[in-house]
Amino acid sequence: GQNIDQPTEMTATEGAIVQINCTYQTSGFNGLFWYQQHAGEAPTFLSYNVLDGLEEKGRFSSFLSRSKGYSYLLLKELQMKDSASYLCAVMDSNYQLIWGAGTKLIIKP
Amino acid sequence: ETGVTQTPRHLVMGMTNKKSLKCEQHLGHNAMYWYKQSAKKPLELMFVYSLEERVENNSVPSRFSPECPNSSHLFLHLHTLQPEDSALYLCASSQSPNGQYNEQFFGPGTRLTVL
C-alpha cells in the first residue's frame, strides 16, 4: 500500500529552527509537495521537490532524497504565525496526490 | 485568498436532510477536486473532475453525489448522511489532473456536522 508518515505534533520556540520530516512509500514518484494549513483555513502551497537536494525559499527550505523516500521541511527564524499544520503529499505514478496526516507545529514565545 | 471559494463555511444537518456544498474557482483551471479532511487523518480524495468529466471516484458512498456543470463550478450533494461523515470538506483546483507539477489550490472548506 501507499503510505506517508510525518510526526503528529511538534513544538518549537519563536526565533528557533525546526525540521519536519516526511517519509513515504508510494507506487511511483512524480514529486513531493509541502502545504501549510492554519486552523480553519485552506491548505496553501509551500514547496515542490522532484529532484534530490535542497530547495530554499526565504525562511523555508525543503529537502528531498528519492533513494531514501525522505523529505524534510526546514523553517528558520520561527514566528508565531508559523503555528499551523504542515502537510506532506507525494504525487504517485498516476499523478494522484497521496497525503500525510499533517504535522501540527506549535510555536512558543 | 486562493481563488477558490466555498459555501457554506459551516453546515449542520440531520441524517434525513438533503443539502449541497458549492465550490467556485476563478483561476481558469481545468481540474477540480473534492476532499474530506477528518481530524488527525490524511486528506481523502473523493472526486476528481477534468473539463467537467469525472475522472476519479475513490469508492465514495452514494450518499455523496458530485456535480460539475462547468469548469468553474463544483457541487457536492449530500443526502441521508451518517454522523461519521462529519468532517471538513475541501474543494481544490489545478491546471490539469495530470502532469508532474500540478499544484492544487484549495478553498477554505465547509465544516460539516451531521447530527
mmCIF file with all atom_site columns, all heavy atoms in Angstrom, chain A residues 5-11 18-22 34-35 37 82-88 100-106:
data_model
loop_
_atom_site.group_PDB
_atom_site.id
_atom_site.type_symbol
_atom_site.label_atom_id
_atom_site.label_alt_id
_atom_site.label_comp_id
_atom_site.label_asym_id
_atom_site.label_entity_id
_atom_site.label_seq_id
_atom_site.pdbx_PDB_ins_code
_atom_site.Cartn_x
_atom_site.Cartn_y
_atom_site.Cartn_z
_atom_site.occupancy
_atom_site.B_iso_or_equiv
_atom_site.pdbx_formal_charge
_atom_site.auth_seq_id
_atom_site.auth_comp_id
_atom_site.auth_asym_id
_atom_site.auth_atom_id
_atom_site.pdbx_PDB_model_num
ATOM 1   N N   . ASP A 1 5   ? 4.375  9.133  6.142  1.00 0.00 ? 5   ASP A N   1
ATOM 2   C CA  . ASP A 1 5   ? 4.498  9.267  7.591  1.00 0.00 ? 5   ASP A CA  1
ATOM 3   C C   . ASP A 1 5   ? 5.130  10.602 7.947  1.00 0.00 ? 5   ASP A C   1
ATOM 4   O O   . ASP A 1 5   ? 6.168  10.979 7.379  1.00 0.00 ? 5   ASP A O   1
ATOM 5   C CB  . ASP A 1 5   ? 5.374  8.151  8.175  1.00 0.00 ? 5   ASP A CB  1
ATOM 6   C CG  . ASP A 1 5   ? 4.605  6.851  8.281  1.00 0.00 ? 5   ASP A CG  1
ATOM 7   O OD1 . ASP A 1 5   ? 3.433  6.896  8.692  1.00 0.00 ? 5   ASP A OD1 1
ATOM 8   O OD2 . ASP A 1 5   ? 5.181  5.804  7.945  1.00 0.00 ? 5   ASP A OD2 1
ATOM 9   N N   . GLN A 1 6   ? 4.532  11.286 8.884  1.00 0.00 ? 6   GLN A N   1
ATOM 10  C CA  . GLN A 1 6   ? 5.104  12.512 9.441  1.00 0.00 ? 6   GLN A CA  1
ATOM 11  C C   . GLN A 1 6   ? 4.669  12.603 10.888 1.00 0.00 ? 6   GLN A C   1
ATOM 12  O O   . GLN A 1 6   ? 3.641  12.035 11.265 1.00 0.00 ? 6   GLN A O   1
ATOM 13  C CB  . GLN A 1 6   ? 4.692  13.742 8.624  1.00 0.00 ? 6   GLN A CB  1
ATOM 14  C CG  . GLN A 1 6   ? 3.220  13.872 8.307  1.00 0.00 ? 6   GLN A CG  1
ATOM 15  C CD  . GLN A 1 6   ? 2.924  15.117 7.466  1.00 0.00 ? 6   GLN A CD  1
ATOM 16  O OE1 . GLN A 1 6   ? 2.201  15.058 6.484  1.00 0.00 ? 6   GLN A OE1 1
ATOM 17  N NE2 . GLN A 1 6   ? 3.447  16.261 7.869  1.00 0.00 ? 6   GLN A NE2 1
ATOM 18  N N   . PRO A 1 7   ? 5.459  13.302 11.732 1.00 0.00 ? 7   PRO A N   1
ATOM 19  C CA  . PRO A 1 7   ? 5.086  13.381 13.151 1.00 0.00 ? 7   PRO A CA  1
ATOM 20  C C   . PRO A 1 7   ? 3.758  14.096 13.318 1.00 0.00 ? 7   PRO A C   1
ATOM 21  O O   . PRO A 1 7   ? 3.410  14.982 12.545 1.00 0.00 ? 7   PRO A O   1
ATOM 22  C CB  . PRO A 1 7   ? 6.238  14.173 13.777 1.00 0.00 ? 7   PRO A CB  1
ATOM 23  C CG  . PRO A 1 7   ? 6.945  14.834 12.644 1.00 0.00 ? 7   PRO A CG  1
ATOM 24  C CD  . PRO A 1 7   ? 6.705  14.001 11.433 1.00 0.00 ? 7   PRO A CD  1
ATOM 25  N N   . THR A 1 8   ? 3.031  13.694 14.348 1.00 0.00 ? 8   THR A N   1
ATOM 26  C CA  . THR A 1 8   ? 1.712  14.265 14.588 1.00 0.00 ? 8   THR A CA  1
ATOM 27  C C   . THR A 1 8   ? 1.807  15.710 15.071 1.00 0.00 ? 8   THR A C   1
ATOM 28  O O   . THR A 1 8   ? 1.040  16.566 14.631 1.00 0.00 ? 8   THR A O   1
ATOM 29  C CB  . THR A 1 8   ? 0.958  13.429 15.628 1.00 0.00 ? 8   THR A CB  1
ATOM 30  O OG1 . THR A 1 8   ? 0.878  12.090 15.162 1.00 0.00 ? 8   THR A OG1 1
ATOM 31  C CG2 . THR A 1 8   ? -0.434 13.982 15.873 1.00 0.00 ? 8   THR A CG2 1
ATOM 32  N N   . GLU A 1 9   ? 2.749  15.958 15.963 1.00 0.00 ? 9   GLU A N   1
ATOM 33  C CA  . GLU A 1 9   ? 2.844  17.289 16.565 1.00 0.00 ? 9   GLU A CA  1
ATOM 34  C C   . GLU A 1 9   ? 4.284  17.605 16.931 1.00 0.00 ? 9   GLU A C   1
ATOM 35  O O   . GLU A 1 9   ? 5.041  16.704 17.299 1.00 0.00 ? 9   GLU A O   1
ATOM 36  C CB  . GLU A 1 9   ? 1.962  17.331 17.818 1.00 0.00 ? 9   GLU A CB  1
ATOM 37  C CG  . GLU A 1 9   ? 1.819  18.691 18.464 1.00 0.00 ? 9   GLU A CG  1
ATOM 38  C CD  . GLU A 1 9   ? 0.791  18.677 19.600 1.00 0.00 ? 9   GLU A CD  1
ATOM 39  O OE1 . GLU A 1 9   ? -0.397 18.408 19.357 1.00 0.00 ? 9   GLU A OE1 1
ATOM 40  O OE2 . GLU A 1 9   ? 1.199  18.948 20.755 1.00 0.00 ? 9   GLU A OE2 1
ATOM 41  N N   . MET A 1 10  ? 4.661  18.865 16.790 1.00 0.00 ? 10  MET A N   1
ATOM 42  C CA  . MET A 1 10  ? 5.976  19.325 17.208 1.00 0.00 ? 10  MET A CA  1
ATOM 43  C C   . MET A 1 10  ? 5.827  20.683 17.877 1.00 0.00 ? 10  MET A C   1
ATOM 44  O O   . MET A 1 10  ? 4.922  21.457 17.534 1.00 0.00 ? 10  MET A O   1
ATOM 45  C CB  . MET A 1 10  ? 6.931  19.448 16.012 1.00 0.00 ? 10  MET A CB  1
ATOM 46  C CG  . MET A 1 10  ? 7.182  18.140 15.285 1.00 0.00 ? 10  MET A CG  1
ATOM 47  S SD  . MET A 1 10  ? 8.309  18.301 13.896 1.00 0.00 ? 10  MET A SD  1
ATOM 48  C CE  . MET A 1 10  ? 9.857  18.576 14.754 1.00 0.00 ? 10  MET A CE  1
ATOM 49  N N   . THR A 1 11  ? 6.742  20.961 18.789 1.00 0.00 ? 11  THR A N   1
ATOM 50  C CA  . THR A 1 11  ? 6.754  22.248 19.483 1.00 0.00 ? 11  THR A CA  1
ATOM 51  C C   . THR A 1 11  ? 8.115  22.890 19.295 1.00 0.00 ? 11  THR A C   1
ATOM 52  O O   . THR A 1 11  ? 9.141  22.201 19.352 1.00 0.00 ? 11  THR A O   1
ATOM 53  C CB  . THR A 1 11  ? 6.456  22.062 20.980 1.00 0.00 ? 11  THR A CB  1
ATOM 54  O OG1 . THR A 1 11  ? 5.197  21.408 21.133 1.00 0.00 ? 11  THR A OG1 1
ATOM 55  C CG2 . THR A 1 11  ? 6.403  23.407 21.690 1.00 0.00 ? 11  THR A CG2 1
ATOM 56  N N   . VAL A 1 18  ? 13.195 24.669 13.095 1.00 0.00 ? 18  VAL A N   1
ATOM 57  C CA  . VAL A 1 18  ? 12.544 23.379 13.280 1.00 0.00 ? 18  VAL A CA  1
ATOM 58  C C   . VAL A 1 18  ? 12.564 22.612 11.955 1.00 0.00 ? 18  VAL A C   1
ATOM 59  O O   . VAL A 1 18  ? 12.470 23.210 10.882 1.00 0.00 ? 18  VAL A O   1
ATOM 60  C CB  . VAL A 1 18  ? 11.106 23.538 13.804 1.00 0.00 ? 18  VAL A CB  1
ATOM 61  C CG1 . VAL A 1 18  ? 10.183 24.109 12.737 1.00 0.00 ? 18  VAL A CG1 1
ATOM 62  C CG2 . VAL A 1 18  ? 10.554 22.216 14.312 1.00 0.00 ? 18  VAL A CG2 1
ATOM 63  N N   . GLN A 1 19  ? 12.718 21.303 12.049 1.00 0.00 ? 19  GLN A N   1
ATOM 64  C CA  . GLN A 1 19  ? 12.733 20.439 10.867 1.00 0.00 ? 19  GLN A CA  1
ATOM 65  C C   . GLN A 1 19  ? 11.590 19.430 10.979 1.00 0.00 ? 19  GLN A C   1
ATOM 66  O O   . GLN A 1 19  ? 11.519 18.688 11.958 1.00 0.00 ? 19  GLN A O   1
ATOM 67  C CB  . GLN A 1 19  ? 14.063 19.694 10.776 1.00 0.00 ? 19  GLN A CB  1
ATOM 68  C CG  . GLN A 1 19  ? 14.164 18.713 9.619  1.00 0.00 ? 19  GLN A CG  1
ATOM 69  C CD  . GLN A 1 19  ? 15.541 18.095 9.500  1.00 0.00 ? 19  GLN A CD  1
ATOM 70  O OE1 . GLN A 1 19  ? 16.556 18.785 9.510  1.00 0.00 ? 19  GLN A OE1 1
ATOM 71  N NE2 . GLN A 1 19  ? 15.585 16.779 9.371  1.00 0.00 ? 19  GLN A NE2 1
ATOM 72  N N   . ILE A 1 20  ? 10.728 19.404 9.992  1.00 0.00 ? 20  ILE A N   1
ATOM 73  C CA  . ILE A 1 20  ? 9.600  18.475 9.977  1.00 0.00 ? 20  ILE A CA  1
ATOM 74  C C   . ILE A 1 20  ? 9.899  17.411 8.925  1.00 0.00 ? 20  ILE A C   1
ATOM 75  O O   . ILE A 1 20  ? 10.078 17.725 7.747  1.00 0.00 ? 20  ILE A O   1
ATOM 76  C CB  . ILE A 1 20  ? 8.283  19.207 9.638  1.00 0.00 ? 20  ILE A CB  1
ATOM 77  C CG1 . ILE A 1 20  ? 8.030  20.325 10.649 1.00 0.00 ? 20  ILE A CG1 1
ATOM 78  C CG2 . ILE A 1 20  ? 7.126  18.221 9.628  1.00 0.00 ? 20  ILE A CG2 1
ATOM 79  C CD1 . ILE A 1 20  ? 6.823  21.195 10.310 1.00 0.00 ? 20  ILE A CD1 1
ATOM 80  N N   . ASN A 1 21  ? 9.952  16.170 9.365  1.00 0.00 ? 21  ASN A N   1
ATOM 81  C CA  . ASN A 1 21  ? 10.313 15.074 8.472  1.00 0.00 ? 21  ASN A CA  1
ATOM 82  C C   . ASN A 1 21  ? 9.090  14.405 7.861  1.00 0.00 ? 21  ASN A C   1
ATOM 83  O O   . ASN A 1 21  ? 8.002  14.395 8.447  1.00 0.00 ? 21  ASN A O   1
ATOM 84  C CB  . ASN A 1 21  ? 11.107 14.022 9.244  1.00 0.00 ? 21  ASN A CB  1
ATOM 85  C CG  . ASN A 1 21  ? 12.439 14.554 9.720  1.00 0.00 ? 21  ASN A CG  1
ATOM 86  O OD1 . ASN A 1 21  ? 13.068 15.368 9.055  1.00 0.00 ? 21  ASN A OD1 1
ATOM 87  N ND2 . ASN A 1 21  ? 12.874 14.118 10.893 1.00 0.00 ? 21  ASN A ND2 1
ATOM 88  N N   . CYS A 1 22  ? 9.308  13.825 6.692  1.00 0.00 ? 22  CYS A N   1
ATOM 89  C CA  . CYS A 1 22  ? 8.255  13.090 5.989  1.00 0.00 ? 22  CYS A CA  1
ATOM 90  C C   . CYS A 1 22  ? 8.904  11.915 5.275  1.00 0.00 ? 22  CYS A C   1
ATOM 91  O O   . CYS A 1 22  ? 9.877  12.094 4.526  1.00 0.00 ? 22  CYS A O   1
ATOM 92  C CB  . CYS A 1 22  ? 7.562  14.014 4.980  1.00 0.00 ? 22  CYS A CB  1
ATOM 93  S SG  . CYS A 1 22  ? 6.395  13.193 3.858  1.00 0.00 ? 22  CYS A SG  1
ATOM 94  N N   . TRP A 1 34  ? 4.829  20.232 -0.119 1.00 0.00 ? 34  TRP A N   1
ATOM 95  C CA  . TRP A 1 34  ? 4.537  20.651 1.253  1.00 0.00 ? 34  TRP A CA  1
ATOM 96  C C   . TRP A 1 34  ? 3.505  21.774 1.197  1.00 0.00 ? 34  TRP A C   1
ATOM 97  O O   . TRP A 1 34  ? 3.623  22.714 0.406  1.00 0.00 ? 34  TRP A O   1
ATOM 98  C CB  . TRP A 1 34  ? 5.798  21.158 1.959  1.00 0.00 ? 34  TRP A CB  1
ATOM 99  C CG  . TRP A 1 34  ? 6.738  20.090 2.398  1.00 0.00 ? 34  TRP A CG  1
ATOM 100 C CD1 . TRP A 1 34  ? 7.843  19.634 1.757  1.00 0.00 ? 34  TRP A CD1 1
ATOM 101 C CD2 . TRP A 1 34  ? 6.661  19.343 3.625  1.00 0.00 ? 34  TRP A CD2 1
ATOM 102 N NE1 . TRP A 1 34  ? 8.455  18.649 2.484  1.00 0.00 ? 34  TRP A NE1 1
ATOM 103 C CE2 . TRP A 1 34  ? 7.765  18.448 3.647  1.00 0.00 ? 34  TRP A CE2 1
ATOM 104 C CE3 . TRP A 1 34  ? 5.784  19.332 4.716  1.00 0.00 ? 34  TRP A CE3 1
ATOM 105 C CZ2 . TRP A 1 34  ? 7.993  17.563 4.695  1.00 0.00 ? 34  TRP A CZ2 1
ATOM 106 C CZ3 . TRP A 1 34  ? 6.017  18.454 5.766  1.00 0.00 ? 34  TRP A CZ3 1
ATOM 107 C CH2 . TRP A 1 34  ? 7.115  17.583 5.746  1.00 0.00 ? 34  TRP A CH2 1
ATOM 108 N N   . TYR A 1 35  ? 2.493  21.627 2.068  1.00 0.00 ? 35  TYR A N   1
ATOM 109 C CA  . TYR A 1 35  ? 1.454  22.637 2.205  1.00 0.00 ? 35  TYR A CA  1
ATOM 110 C C   . TYR A 1 35  ? 1.393  23.078 3.668  1.00 0.00 ? 35  TYR A C   1
ATOM 111 O O   . TYR A 1 35  ? 1.679  22.293 4.587  1.00 0.00 ? 35  TYR A O   1
ATOM 112 C CB  . TYR A 1 35  ? 0.076  22.081 1.822  1.00 0.00 ? 35  TYR A CB  1
ATOM 113 C CG  . TYR A 1 35  ? -0.209 22.033 0.334  1.00 0.00 ? 35  TYR A CG  1
ATOM 114 C CD1 . TYR A 1 35  ? 0.319  21.019 -0.456 1.00 0.00 ? 35  TYR A CD1 1
ATOM 115 C CD2 . TYR A 1 35  ? -1.014 22.990 -0.262 1.00 0.00 ? 35  TYR A CD2 1
ATOM 116 C CE1 . TYR A 1 35  ? 0.049  20.976 -1.822 1.00 0.00 ? 35  TYR A CE1 1
ATOM 117 C CE2 . TYR A 1 35  ? -1.293 22.947 -1.624 1.00 0.00 ? 35  TYR A CE2 1
ATOM 118 C CZ  . TYR A 1 35  ? -0.755 21.940 -2.395 1.00 0.00 ? 35  TYR A CZ  1
ATOM 119 O OH  . TYR A 1 35  ? -1.014 21.898 -3.746 1.00 0.00 ? 35  TYR A OH  1
ATOM 120 N N   . GLN A 1 37  ? -1.282 24.680 6.541  1.00 0.00 ? 37  GLN A N   1
ATOM 121 C CA  . GLN A 1 37  ? -2.703 24.882 6.798  1.00 0.00 ? 37  GLN A CA  1
ATOM 122 C C   . GLN A 1 37  ? -2.902 25.458 8.197  1.00 0.00 ? 37  GLN A C   1
ATOM 123 O O   . GLN A 1 37  ? -2.688 24.761 9.194  1.00 0.00 ? 37  GLN A O   1
ATOM 124 C CB  . GLN A 1 37  ? -3.477 23.568 6.656  1.00 0.00 ? 37  GLN A CB  1
ATOM 125 C CG  . GLN A 1 37  ? -4.993 23.744 6.774  1.00 0.00 ? 37  GLN A CG  1
ATOM 126 C CD  . GLN A 1 37  ? -5.757 22.450 6.584  1.00 0.00 ? 37  GLN A CD  1
ATOM 127 O OE1 . GLN A 1 37  ? -5.231 21.368 6.774  1.00 0.00 ? 37  GLN A OE1 1
ATOM 128 N NE2 . GLN A 1 37  ? -7.025 22.558 6.190  1.00 0.00 ? 37  GLN A NE2 1
ATOM 129 N N   . ASP A 1 82  ? 3.827  31.083 12.250 1.00 0.00 ? 82  ASP A N   1
ATOM 130 C CA  . ASP A 1 82  ? 4.157  29.792 11.647 1.00 0.00 ? 82  ASP A CA  1
ATOM 131 C C   . ASP A 1 82  ? 3.435  28.637 12.344 1.00 0.00 ? 82  ASP A C   1
ATOM 132 O O   . ASP A 1 82  ? 3.521  27.478 11.894 1.00 0.00 ? 82  ASP A O   1
ATOM 133 C CB  . ASP A 1 82  ? 5.668  29.554 11.699 1.00 0.00 ? 82  ASP A CB  1
ATOM 134 C CG  . ASP A 1 82  ? 6.454  30.583 10.900 1.00 0.00 ? 82  ASP A CG  1
ATOM 135 O OD1 . ASP A 1 82  ? 5.907  31.076 9.878  1.00 0.00 ? 82  ASP A OD1 1
ATOM 136 O OD2 . ASP A 1 82  ? 7.590  30.904 11.297 1.00 0.00 ? 82  ASP A OD2 1
ATOM 137 N N   . SER A 1 83  ? 2.752  28.932 13.436 1.00 0.00 ? 83  SER A N   1
ATOM 138 C CA  . SER A 1 83  ? 1.944  27.900 14.102 1.00 0.00 ? 83  SER A CA  1
ATOM 139 C C   . SER A 1 83  ? 0.842  27.464 13.140 1.00 0.00 ? 83  SER A C   1
ATOM 140 O O   . SER A 1 83  ? -0.022 28.263 12.758 1.00 0.00 ? 83  SER A O   1
ATOM 141 C CB  . SER A 1 83  ? 1.313  28.446 15.386 1.00 0.00 ? 83  SER A CB  1
ATOM 142 O OG  . SER A 1 83  ? 2.286  28.711 16.367 1.00 0.00 ? 83  SER A OG  1
ATOM 143 N N   . ALA A 1 84  ? 0.892  26.218 12.724 1.00 0.00 ? 84  ALA A N   1
ATOM 144 C CA  . ALA A 1 84  ? -0.022 25.702 11.707 1.00 0.00 ? 84  ALA A CA  1
ATOM 145 C C   . ALA A 1 84  ? 0.232  24.201 11.577 1.00 0.00 ? 84  ALA A C   1
ATOM 146 O O   . ALA A 1 84  ? 1.137  23.660 12.206 1.00 0.00 ? 84  ALA A O   1
ATOM 147 C CB  . ALA A 1 84  ? 0.212  26.381 10.358 1.00 0.00 ? 84  ALA A CB  1
ATOM 148 N N   . SER A 1 85  ? -0.559 23.559 10.733 1.00 0.00 ? 85  SER A N   1
ATOM 149 C CA  . SER A 1 85  ? -0.268 22.178 10.347 1.00 0.00 ? 85  SER A CA  1
ATOM 150 C C   . SER A 1 85  ? 0.464  22.177 9.024  1.00 0.00 ? 85  SER A C   1
ATOM 151 O O   . SER A 1 85  ? 0.173  23.004 8.145  1.00 0.00 ? 85  SER A O   1
ATOM 152 C CB  . SER A 1 85  ? -1.560 21.373 10.220 1.00 0.00 ? 85  SER A CB  1
ATOM 153 O OG  . SER A 1 85  ? -2.109 21.116 11.486 1.00 0.00 ? 85  SER A OG  1
ATOM 154 N N   . TYR A 1 86  ? 1.431  21.275 8.894  1.00 0.00 ? 86  TYR A N   1
ATOM 155 C CA  . TYR A 1 86  ? 2.224  21.174 7.669  1.00 0.00 ? 86  TYR A CA  1
ATOM 156 C C   . TYR A 1 86  ? 1.978  19.805 7.045  1.00 0.00 ? 86  TYR A C   1
ATOM 157 O O   . TYR A 1 86  ? 2.196  18.776 7.686  1.00 0.00 ? 86  TYR A O   1
ATOM 158 C CB  . TYR A 1 86  ? 3.706  21.429 7.989  1.00 0.00 ? 86  TYR A CB  1
ATOM 159 C CG  . TYR A 1 86  ? 3.923  22.861 8.385  1.00 0.00 ? 86  TYR A CG  1
ATOM 160 C CD1 . TYR A 1 86  ? 3.717  23.279 9.708  1.00 0.00 ? 86  TYR A CD1 1
ATOM 161 C CD2 . TYR A 1 86  ? 4.245  23.829 7.441  1.00 0.00 ? 86  TYR A CD2 1
ATOM 162 C CE1 . TYR A 1 86  ? 3.853  24.616 10.069 1.00 0.00 ? 86  TYR A CE1 1
ATOM 163 C CE2 . TYR A 1 86  ? 4.396  25.166 7.789  1.00 0.00 ? 86  TYR A CE2 1
ATOM 164 C CZ  . TYR A 1 86  ? 4.188  25.551 9.103  1.00 0.00 ? 86  TYR A CZ  1
ATOM 165 O OH  . TYR A 1 86  ? 4.315  26.876 9.452  1.00 0.00 ? 86  TYR A OH  1
ATOM 166 N N   . LEU A 1 87  ? 1.491  19.826 5.817  1.00 0.00 ? 87  LEU A N   1
ATOM 167 C CA  . LEU A 1 87  ? 1.060  18.606 5.136  1.00 0.00 ? 87  LEU A CA  1
ATOM 168 C C   . LEU A 1 87  ? 2.073  18.217 4.069  1.00 0.00 ? 87  LEU A C   1
ATOM 169 O O   . LEU A 1 87  ? 2.454  19.040 3.241  1.00 0.00 ? 87  LEU A O   1
ATOM 170 C CB  . LEU A 1 87  ? -0.308 18.821 4.474  1.00 0.00 ? 87  LEU A CB  1
ATOM 171 C CG  . LEU A 1 87  ? -1.415 19.433 5.314  1.00 0.00 ? 87  LEU A CG  1
ATOM 172 C CD1 . LEU A 1 87  ? -2.693 19.581 4.494  1.00 0.00 ? 87  LEU A CD1 1
ATOM 173 C CD2 . LEU A 1 87  ? -1.699 18.610 6.552  1.00 0.00 ? 87  LEU A CD2 1
ATOM 174 N N   . CYS A 1 88  ? 2.466  16.961 4.104  1.00 0.00 ? 88  CYS A N   1
ATOM 175 C CA  . CYS A 1 88  ? 3.366  16.399 3.104  1.00 0.00 ? 88  CYS A CA  1
ATOM 176 C C   . CYS A 1 88  ? 2.516  15.574 2.140  1.00 0.00 ? 88  CYS A C   1
ATOM 177 O O   . CYS A 1 88  ? 1.629  14.824 2.589  1.00 0.00 ? 88  CYS A O   1
ATOM 178 C CB  . CYS A 1 88  ? 4.401  15.521 3.803  1.00 0.00 ? 88  CYS A CB  1
ATOM 179 S SG  . CYS A 1 88  ? 5.500  14.589 2.727  1.00 0.00 ? 88  CYS A SG  1
ATOM 180 N N   . GLY A 1 100 ? -0.021 12.865 3.691  1.00 0.00 ? 100 GLY A N   1
ATOM 181 C CA  . GLY A 1 100 ? 0.219  12.531 5.082  1.00 0.00 ? 100 GLY A CA  1
ATOM 182 C C   . GLY A 1 100 ? -0.869 13.155 5.950  1.00 0.00 ? 100 GLY A C   1
ATOM 183 O O   . GLY A 1 100 ? -1.658 13.984 5.481  1.00 0.00 ? 100 GLY A O   1
ATOM 184 N N   . ALA A 1 101 ? -0.883 12.763 7.210  1.00 0.00 ? 101 ALA A N   1
ATOM 185 C CA  . ALA A 1 101 ? -1.910 13.257 8.135  1.00 0.00 ? 101 ALA A CA  1
ATOM 186 C C   . ALA A 1 101 ? -1.611 14.666 8.640  1.00 0.00 ? 101 ALA A C   1
ATOM 187 O O   . ALA A 1 101 ? -2.445 15.273 9.302  1.00 0.00 ? 101 ALA A O   1
ATOM 188 C CB  . ALA A 1 101 ? -2.074 12.294 9.307  1.00 0.00 ? 101 ALA A CB  1
ATOM 189 N N   . GLY A 1 102 ? -0.404 15.155 8.348  1.00 0.00 ? 102 GLY A N   1
ATOM 190 C CA  . GLY A 1 102 ? -0.060 16.512 8.767  1.00 0.00 ? 102 GLY A CA  1
ATOM 191 C C   . GLY A 1 102 ? 0.665  16.548 10.097 1.00 0.00 ? 102 GLY A C   1
ATOM 192 O O   . GLY A 1 102 ? 0.474  15.681 10.951 1.00 0.00 ? 102 GLY A O   1
ATOM 193 N N   . THR A 1 103 ? 1.516  17.553 10.252 1.00 0.00 ? 103 THR A N   1
ATOM 194 C CA  . THR A 1 103 ? 2.233  17.793 11.497 1.00 0.00 ? 103 THR A CA  1
ATOM 195 C C   . THR A 1 103 ? 1.775  19.130 12.054 1.00 0.00 ? 103 THR A C   1
ATOM 196 O O   . THR A 1 103 ? 1.929  20.171 11.401 1.00 0.00 ? 103 THR A O   1
ATOM 197 C CB  . THR A 1 103 ? 3.754  17.843 11.264 1.00 0.00 ? 103 THR A CB  1
ATOM 198 O OG1 . THR A 1 103 ? 4.196  16.589 10.773 1.00 0.00 ? 103 THR A OG1 1
ATOM 199 C CG2 . THR A 1 103 ? 4.488  18.184 12.564 1.00 0.00 ? 103 THR A CG2 1
ATOM 200 N N   . LYS A 1 104 ? 1.218  19.102 13.250 1.00 0.00 ? 104 LYS A N   1
ATOM 201 C CA  . LYS A 1 104 ? 0.801  20.340 13.909 1.00 0.00 ? 104 LYS A CA  1
ATOM 202 C C   . LYS A 1 104 ? 2.015  20.950 14.588 1.00 0.00 ? 104 LYS A C   1
ATOM 203 O O   . LYS A 1 104 ? 2.617  20.327 15.476 1.00 0.00 ? 104 LYS A O   1
ATOM 204 C CB  . LYS A 1 104 ? -0.300 20.056 14.919 1.00 0.00 ? 104 LYS A CB  1
ATOM 205 C CG  . LYS A 1 104 ? -0.834 21.307 15.603 1.00 0.00 ? 104 LYS A CG  1
ATOM 206 C CD  . LYS A 1 104 ? -1.963 20.980 16.557 1.00 0.00 ? 104 LYS A CD  1
ATOM 207 C CE  . LYS A 1 104 ? -2.492 22.230 17.233 1.00 0.00 ? 104 LYS A CE  1
ATOM 208 N NZ  . LYS A 1 104 ? -3.588 21.906 18.186 1.00 0.00 ? 104 LYS A NZ  1
ATOM 209 N N   . LEU A 1 105 ? 2.386  22.138 14.174 1.00 0.00 ? 105 LEU A N   1
ATOM 210 C CA  . LEU A 1 105 ? 3.542  22.834 14.743 1.00 0.00 ? 105 LEU A CA  1
ATOM 211 C C   . LEU A 1 105 ? 3.057  23.914 15.703 1.00 0.00 ? 105 LEU A C   1
ATOM 212 O O   . LEU A 1 105 ? 2.288  24.794 15.315 1.00 0.00 ? 105 LEU A O   1
ATOM 213 C CB  . LEU A 1 105 ? 4.399  23.457 13.642 1.00 0.00 ? 105 LEU A CB  1
ATOM 214 C CG  . LEU A 1 105 ? 5.619  24.248 14.091 1.00 0.00 ? 105 LEU A CG  1
ATOM 215 C CD1 . LEU A 1 105 ? 6.598  23.350 14.839 1.00 0.00 ? 105 LEU A CD1 1
ATOM 216 C CD2 . LEU A 1 105 ? 6.286  24.929 12.916 1.00 0.00 ? 105 LEU A CD2 1
ATOM 217 N N   . ILE A 1 106 ? 3.513  23.822 16.938 1.00 0.00 ? 106 ILE A N   1
ATOM 218 C CA  . ILE A 1 106 ? 3.155  24.808 17.964 1.00 0.00 ? 106 ILE A CA  1
ATOM 219 C C   . ILE A 1 106 ? 4.400  25.643 18.257 1.00 0.00 ? 106 ILE A C   1
ATOM 220 O O   . ILE A 1 106 ? 5.462  25.096 18.570 1.00 0.00 ? 106 ILE A O   1
ATOM 221 C CB  . ILE A 1 106 ? 2.673  24.105 19.254 1.00 0.00 ? 106 ILE A CB  1
ATOM 222 C CG1 . ILE A 1 106 ? 1.441  23.260 18.934 1.00 0.00 ? 106 ILE A CG1 1
ATOM 223 C CG2 . ILE A 1 106 ? 2.375  25.129 20.349 1.00 0.00 ? 106 ILE A CG2 1
ATOM 224 C CD1 . ILE A 1 106 ? 1.060  22.292 20.040 1.00 0.00 ? 106 ILE A CD1 1
#
